[in-house]
Amino acid sequence: MNKGNEQGSNQSPSKESNSPPLLPPLEDSLSHIETELGKSTDLVIRRFAIYKTRCAALYIDGLVDKNTVQNFIMEALMLEMPHKRVSVKELYDTIKQASLPIGEVTEFNDYEALFKRLLSGETILLIDKEKKALAASTRGWRDRGVQESTSESVIRGPKEAFTETLRTNTALLRRKIKDPKLRIESKAIGEVTRTDVAIVYLQDIAEDHIVQEVHRRLEEIDIDGILESGYIEEYIQDAQYSPFPTVYYSEKPDAIAGGLLEGRVAIITDGTPDVLLVPALFVNFFQSSEDYYQRADISTFLRLLRLVCFNIALFMPALYIAFTTFHQEMIPAPLLISLAAQREGVPFPAFVEALLMELTFEILREAGVRLPKPVGSAVSIVGALVLGQSAVQAGLVSPAMVIVVALTAISSFVFPAYNIAIPIRMLRFLFMILAATFGLYGIILGLIAMVLHLCSLQSFGVAYMSPFAPMKAKDQKDVIIRFPHWGLFSRPSSLTKKNEKRTNPSSKEN
């Protein structure tokens, strides 16, 4: 049993001790279990006897591997057990210590633990007149398997992605980081769903206070069910009402492993391929795991390109509105004449024109996501082309506005992290309103307010805008400009001070 399972099981007795104890008479206990589960048809109860001592094996059909139950439990108990008279206590100890060829066998003595293990895919063994029971790990439900990531495509690098199975996801991380210091600590969250959640970190790298803070925030979650990691993200994020995400998530094992090597903590939720990573800095959302698989100059160029696209996606419609409405003198004369000719006959001001086109594109984008894949992409492309061309021919919008909105939309798809594109899309409308009201002055005031807000944010005690604010010169080697790997000899100092050195500085650095 790994340390994560041991720690997870050590945290549960306090809750399980308040549960009613098991009933020693076997039939009374089975009757109680059937009543609590409402005589569910997927509950399988196999009654048998070992030298006149009545026993029963229970499992949920569909959650267990039937071959494991048949070959390693039922066959071991019914065919290989010595059939001689022994006491109930001796029989229990023999089964626990010598008869079950299963890697993980635990004992318990109350119904809360029984239902938790039974509904998690374990096989329960009950013995008549025995106050304790055994649970054998026989989980074996069908899962999606390890497949290529659908939301984080890369050209170079690992293609595998996390799945909906917790233990598969921890195994993917173990494959990446073969270090005994990799800690996996488990707990169950949700009064009804009892969803398994694993906290993963490197003990000699991650700061203790960050790990403790993650545990504290998870312990404070009081909800009946956790169905996806988004539930947990909303509970543990720092700025509850900020549009900017303070928790990073990814479905790629190499991205999460890279975060662990920097001193971050991963939170894996059973039932979802999206793994949370904290603390999250603003710059992390503009970095891709593929940046570390390309040469340093190529990675630097791509990061600069994403930064340019960030400004285009956020400010371009607002700047168009401000220039054409308030600051025509700043536009070169030939371009101004061309824009004026295009806008001749357009019945709406620039703000309404931009708002109409932006809302239309957002509707098309959302429709493309929700529609079936073979249809969604075709509807998005054809819809954008047809609506844009028709709007220009009808005189509702100018051709320049179509170009602005199209370039803005394309730029918003450049970011590796999807959850940073959403606040950009929302703030774009706010900057358009400011531009239509105050011109460039409104855009500048909005930019100042946004920067002040970003500098006030924290993620698990770490400054959100680090290493820019506060400025940390030695951490600039892997922010916008990425140094070659031989130059990245230290971890980000804002994340960890326990073990900052990655490797010895190369002679090339000198």
Side-chain angles (χ1 to χ4, degrees), residues 135 244 339 372 399:
F244 293 97
L339 291 175

Side-chain angles (χ1 to χ4, degrees), residues 167-197:
R167 199 49 64 202
T168 301
N169 295 340
T170 57
L172 288 172
L173 287 178
R174 286 283 187 191
R175 284 183 56 201
K176 299 288 183 184
I177 305 176
K178 302 178 182 68
D179 192 314
K181 296 295 184 180
L182 182 65
R183 297 290 182 258
I184 302 177
E185 301 173 0
S186 303
K187 61 179 61 185
I189 301 178
E191 292 298 325
V192 177
T193 61
R194 304 298 294 167
T195 305
D196 292 323
V197 176

Side-chain angles (χ1 to χ4, degrees), residues 94-297:
T94 302
I95 295 176
K96 176 184 175 183
Q97 299 174 8
S99 298
L100 294 178
I102 298 289
E104 182 180 346
V105 178
T106 56
E107 67 175 14
F108 55 91
N109 58 3
D110 60 84
Y111 284 107
E112 182 176 343
L114 184 147
F115 289 119
K116 180 179 182 298
R117 289 172 169 81
L118 179 65
L119 298 174
S120 296
E122 298 186 19
T123 299
I124 308 300
L125 295 176
L126 298 176
I127 301 176
D128 190 27
K129 299 180 182 179
E130 173 59 47
K131 296 181 179 180
K132 295 180 181 180
L134 296 174
S137 179
T138 55
R139 298 181 181 91
W141 55 78
R142 292 185 178 273
D143 58 12
R144 185 166 54 94
V146 179
Q147 299 176 355
E148 185 175 350
S149 173
T150 57
S151 61
E152 299 177 62
S153 300
V154 295
I155 298 175
R156 181 175 182 177
K159 304 297 191 295
E160 62 188 5
F162 288 119
T163 72
E164 287 77 13
T165 306
L166 176 67
R167 199 49 64 202
T168 301
N169 295 340
T170 57
L172 288 172
L173 287 178
R174 286 283 187 191
R175 284 183 56 201
K176 299 288 183 184
I177 305 176
K178 302 178 182 68
D179 192 314
K181 296 295 184 180
L182 182 65
R183 297 290 182 258
I184 302 177
E185 301 173 0
S186 303
K187 61 179 61 185
I189 301 178
E191 292 298 325
V192 177
T193 61
R194 304 298 294 167
T195 305
D196 292 323
V197 176
I199 300 104
V200 186
Y201 62 95
L202 282 165
Q203 187 180 36
D204 57 345
I205 297 178
E207 290 287 342
D208 294 336
H209 68 88
I210 294 179
V211 177
Q212 293 170 4
E213 181 66 15
V214 171
H215 277 286
R216 185 188 67 81
R217 296 189 188 188
L218 291 177
E219 290 290 347
E220 290 180 353
I221 296 178
D222 185 11
I223 191 174
D224 59 347
I226 299 290
L227 302 179
E228 210 272 339
S229 58
Y231 287 60
I232 296 177
E233 180 181 354
E234 285 198 33
Y235 272 96
I236 67 174
Q237 64 185 357
D238 286 78
Q240 298 290 339
Y241 301 104
S242 173
F244 293 97
T246 55
V247 176
Y248 181 85
Y249 72 83
S250 175
E251 65 174 12
K252 290 185 63 60
D254 56 319
I256 299 300
L260 296 177
L261 291 172
E262 290 183 342
R264 292 182 169 88
V265 179
I267 303 171
I268 307 176
T269 307
D270 189 30
T272 176
D274 295 317
V275 176
L276 307 180
L277 194 66
V278 294
L281 307 182
F282 182 70
V283 296
N284 296 145
F285 298 95
F286 298 90
Q287 298 172 348
S288 170
S289 59
E290 193 176 5
D291 293 347
Y292 300 95
Y293 311 141
Q294 304 282 1
R295 292 204 322 266
D297 52 349

Side-chain angles (χ1 to χ4, degrees), residues 46 48-51 69-83 99-100:
R46 176 66 166 91
F48 59 96
I50 300 177
Y51 197 77
V69 176
Q70 175 67 29
N71 298 329
F72 296 100
I73 294 181
M74 302 309 302
E75 184 175 326
L77 295 179
M78 301 180 68
L79 300 180
E80 299 177 7
M81 282 288 293
H83 291 274
S99 298
L100 294 178

